[in-house]
């Protein structure tokens, strides 16, 4: 498992949206913006599923994903494996978090599942000589 540094976590928390990329078993890519995300610990992130359709089907068939995020020129790509929880304590906590968060905006949402990503590798996407290099 790879661990995010404090700085990576700061950027992840600060950005409003990340890009979640998946692929079908035969390799057809899919990438979607995701705003309902948070850090569980330095090697695990959570994404709440409100609208995932193709993405959810892809993750069920092929649990290898990447999440890319950036602020200004600084950015990171996390690669790892997901599990999808639709019952249990973590799902219930996620559902409450989404309900509370969305009710404040006047656009109520319901979580269909908690997507839990264990980070295997971290790459830099910051322009320059380090772009694309594995960091962790």
């Amino acid at each position: 498992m790879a661990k995010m540094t404090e700085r990576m976590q700061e950027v992840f928390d600060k950005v409003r949206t990340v890009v979640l990329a998946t692929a079908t078993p035969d390799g057809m890519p899919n990438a979607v913006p995701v705003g309902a995300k948070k850090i569980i610990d330095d090697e695990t992130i959570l994404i709440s599923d409100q609208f995932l359709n193709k993405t959810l089907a892809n993750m069920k068939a092929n649990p290898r994903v990447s999440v890319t995020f950036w602020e200004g020129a600084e950015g990171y790509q996390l690669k790892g494996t997901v599990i999808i929880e639709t019952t249990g304590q973590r799902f219930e906590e996620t559902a409450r978090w989404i309900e509370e968060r969305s009710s404040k905006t006047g656009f109520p949402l319901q979580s269909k599942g908690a997507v839990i990503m264990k980070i295997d590798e971290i790459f830099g996407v910051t322009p320059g000589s380090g772009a694309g290099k594995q960091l962790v």
Side-chain angles (χ1 to χ4, degrees):
M1 294 292 141
K3 295 183 179 191
M4 287 190 289
T5 65
E6 285 185 34
R7 178 62 187 158
M8 291 171 189
Q9 292 179 55
E10 286 173 19
V11 175
F12 183 92
D13 284 338
K14 191 173 184 180
V15 299
R16 188 175 170 133
T17 306
V18 300
V19 177
L20 171 62
T22 62
T24 61
D26 66 353
M28 181 61 72
N30 182 59
V32 296
V34 174
K37 44 79 177 171
K38 64 180 172 179
I39 296 170
I40 294 176
D41 59 42
D42 58 6
E43 55 189 24
T44 314
I45 62 170
L46 178 145
I47 292 172
S48 178
D49 169 18
Q50 285 77 244
F51 304 111
L52 304 178
N53 291 307
K54 286 185 295 187
T55 303
L56 183 62
N58 287 352
M59 290 186 296
K60 287 179 177 179
N62 176 6
R64 301 283 299 153
V65 304
S66 73
V67 170
T68 304
F69 56 98
W70 62 93
E71 179 186 42
E74 179 183 8
Y76 305 95
Q77 181 186 58
L78 314 176
K79 292 187 180 190
T81 305
V82 296
I83 59 167
I84 302 157
E85 298 179 1
T86 56
T87 61
Q89 181 179 346
R90 192 156 42 189
F91 167 70
E92 291 169 12
E93 290 170 359
T94 300
R96 279 192 299 276
W97 170 58
I98 292 302
E99 186 177 328
E100 290 169 10
R101 178 181 164 173
S102 64
S103 68
K104 291 176 186 174
T105 67
F107 187 72
L109 297 173
Q110 257 189 319
S111 179
K112 299 185 299 183
V115 177
I116 311 302
M117 178 185 178
K118 281 292 189 185
I119 303 165
D120 295 323
E121 302 172 320
I122 302 174
F123 293 82
V125 298
T126 300
S129 62
K133 289 190 179 174
Q134 187 169 351
L135 303 173
V136 183

